[in-house]
Amino acid sequence: MLTRRALITATPLLVAGCSAGESPYDRAARDLWRLPDLGGGVPMLALVHAATLAANGHNTQPWRFRIQPRVIEILPDFSRRTPVVDPDDHHLFVSLGCALETLLRAGLGYGWAGEPELLPSGGVRIAFSSAPARPDALFQAIPHRASTRTEYDGRPVSAATLRGLEAAVGPEVALRWVLDPDDRAHLTDMIVDGNSAQLADPAFMRELTDWIRFDSREALAQRDGLFTAASGNLTAPRWLGERLLPMVMTEQGEAERIARWMKSSAGAAIFTGPSETPAGWIAVGRAFTRFALKATAAGLKLAFLNQPVEDIWMRRRMAAWMGAPARRPDLVVRFGYGPELPRSLRRPTQAVLVP
């Protein structure tokens, strides 16, 4: 067993980015998080690249892409599902919606308008036609959007910015603001309770650990999962990280961290889709992506705190609190002004293409 002395001794070895200059991980992230200037043509590979930058659960990247002349299909990749935290593939299809909306926004920026069509398989087929290029603020925000899992600075967001975010969501998906101190305290309690239930579930912890990338070498080799440095945490080789995790990810410690995160945020938003179906979940992913890109363009940071919507009993409690017991709240997102953190990676475009 690792003792406190051993932990203290190991800590200097855990700090990321100690060497001078740009690390291989930093270089990979810099090369990834950009939109290429193509100078003409039908940018199918560029659109797929943009779509892979979309938000997705546990950074599992549960999607495949098929390219045809002026057509792209986005297909669910069930081999990358997370059956413990996402037993009905809700997050998987929300992630698919995030990729779809990012792809459509990238298309408009490059001068190609996409018309999406849901497929019986659960995927989406997008047919493109030429259109005037619209490299607007949402297009420009694609390579800057991130899930920033750290404390923010507590500054409020203006009413005009909130109105713009609400307009970006659109009418199909319901948006519930959580700005009032009492509501924020109540939501914080539900997030903490949901998180505590997950930490007490050995299957959840095994699945989470499988998707954690404990150091930059592992993150660079896999190019998926939850890189610890991207959450502002220390890094370590997997053999050590797995042993340290139960010491640092405790129920009390996580409750205190969630409380700090929520207190430092300007507020939170809860997204509720039109139906409890893959089509409804894709709609949630699309609406959230517009919200996230609009927020990013306004200089805001965002992060998910989805614990209370991932447990059925906690989800019912949240729905009742929201006054809509028959509806399913889909996403909980906090937002505010905060720092930049290291970016997560994505698999290469060629790795997500299918014939």
Side-chain angles (χ1 to χ4, degrees):
M1 177 180 293
L2 280 173
T3 64
R4 182 181 298 273
R5 180 180 296 276
L7 176 59
I8 293 172
T9 303
T11 297
L13 303 176
L14 307 180
V15 179
C18 293
S19 59
E22 189 178 46
S23 71
Y25 183 93
D26 292 336
R27 185 163 53 252
R30 174 175 53 80
D31 291 344
L32 171 74
W33 287 93
R34 61 183 181 83
L35 293 176
D37 182 6
L38 300 181
V42 183
M44 292 300 185
L45 289 176
L47 296 185
V48 171
H49 170 83
T52 66
L53 301 181
N56 63 101
H58 277 14
N59 194 23
T60 61
Q61 305 164 43
W63 44 53
R64 305 295 296 275
F65 299 84
R66 179 179 291 121
I67 295 177
Q68 303 168 9
R70 297 201 177 195
V71 170
I72 295 177
E73 291 182 1
I74 309 177
L75 308 172
D77 185 351
F78 294 109
S79 72
R80 303 182 73 82
R81 63 190 300 266
T82 48
V84 178
V85 73
D86 188 28
D88 58 0
D89 294 323
H90 165 275
H91 286 343
L92 186 150
F93 282 104
V94 170
S95 300
L96 216 66
C98 293
L100 169 61
E101 188 65 28
T102 305
L103 189 147
L104 292 172
R105 292 289 156 181
L108 291 174
Y110 285 123
W112 292 92
E115 187 67 32
E117 174 191 357
L118 296 182
L119 300 174
S121 64
V124 185
R125 182 181 189 272
I126 308 100
F128 287 94
S129 58
S130 60
R134 289 169 44 193
D136 60 10
L138 298 191
F139 172 79
Q140 300 293 340
I142 290 171
H144 301 288
R145 183 217 59 81
S147 293
T148 305
R149 299 179 181 90
T150 190
E151 291 184 47
Y152 301 157
D153 66 12
R155 281 185 288 159
V157 174
S158 71
T161 299
L162 294 176
R163 287 195 296 269
L165 293 173
E166 191 165 353
V169 170
E172 187 177 10
V173 170
L175 177 69
R176 161 73 179 270
W177 293 114
V178 184
L179 305 172
D180 176 80
D182 289 341
D183 284 347
R184 290 172 65 177
H186 200 130
L187 177 59
T188 299
D189 289 343
M190 287 189 284
I191 295 169
V192 168
D193 289 348
N195 190 74
S196 296
Q198 290 180 335
L199 291 179
D201 181 355
F204 171 85
M205 291 303 298
R206 283 194 300 271
E207 183 176 83
L208 176 65
T209 303
D210 286 344
W211 284 103
I212 291 176
R213 306 297 175 241
F214 287 98
D215 65 10
S216 60
R217 180 177 298 180
E218 182 181 27
L220 192 56
Q222 299 292 333
R223 298 185 70 98
D224 62 7
L226 302 168
F227 180 34
T228 55
S231 299
N233 294 314
L234 301 175
T235 66
R238 173 165 286 274
W239 68 266
L240 181 57
E242 288 184 344
R243 298 177 72 181
L244 292 175
L245 189 64
M247 301 180 189
V248 299
M249 197 172 183
T250 64
E251 181 177 344
Q252 180 178 348
E254 289 300 295
E256 292 172 354
R257 181 161 70 159
I258 289 168
R260 290 195 304 270
W261 283 357
M262 287 293 289
K263 185 177 181 180
S264 73
S265 300
I270 303 172
F271 294 75
T272 302
S275 64
E276 209 169 322
T277 64
W281 301 334
I282 287 172
V284 170
R286 295 188 62 185
F288 164 75
T289 297
R290 293 190 296 271
F291 177 98
L293 294 178
K294 186 77 171 181
T296 300
L300 291 167
K301 304 298 183 186
L302 308 100
F304 295 108
L305 283 172
N306 283 327
Q307 294 93 326
V309 301
E310 292 169 345
D311 175 84
I312 187 170
W313 303 110
M314 191 60 59
R315 190 162 64 235
R316 289 173 178 172
R317 173 180 159 189
M318 172 174 281
W321 172 69
M322 294 172 63
R327 302 288 300 278
R328 173 176 180 161
D330 290 288
L331 297 176
V332 179
V333 180
R334 66 186 182 96
F335 58 89
Y337 298 98
E340 294 285 342
L341 289 179
R343 312 302 298 276
S344 61
L345 295 182
R346 299 292 192 269
R347 292 175 291 159
T349 300
Q350 294 296 332
V352 298
L353 296 179
V354 295

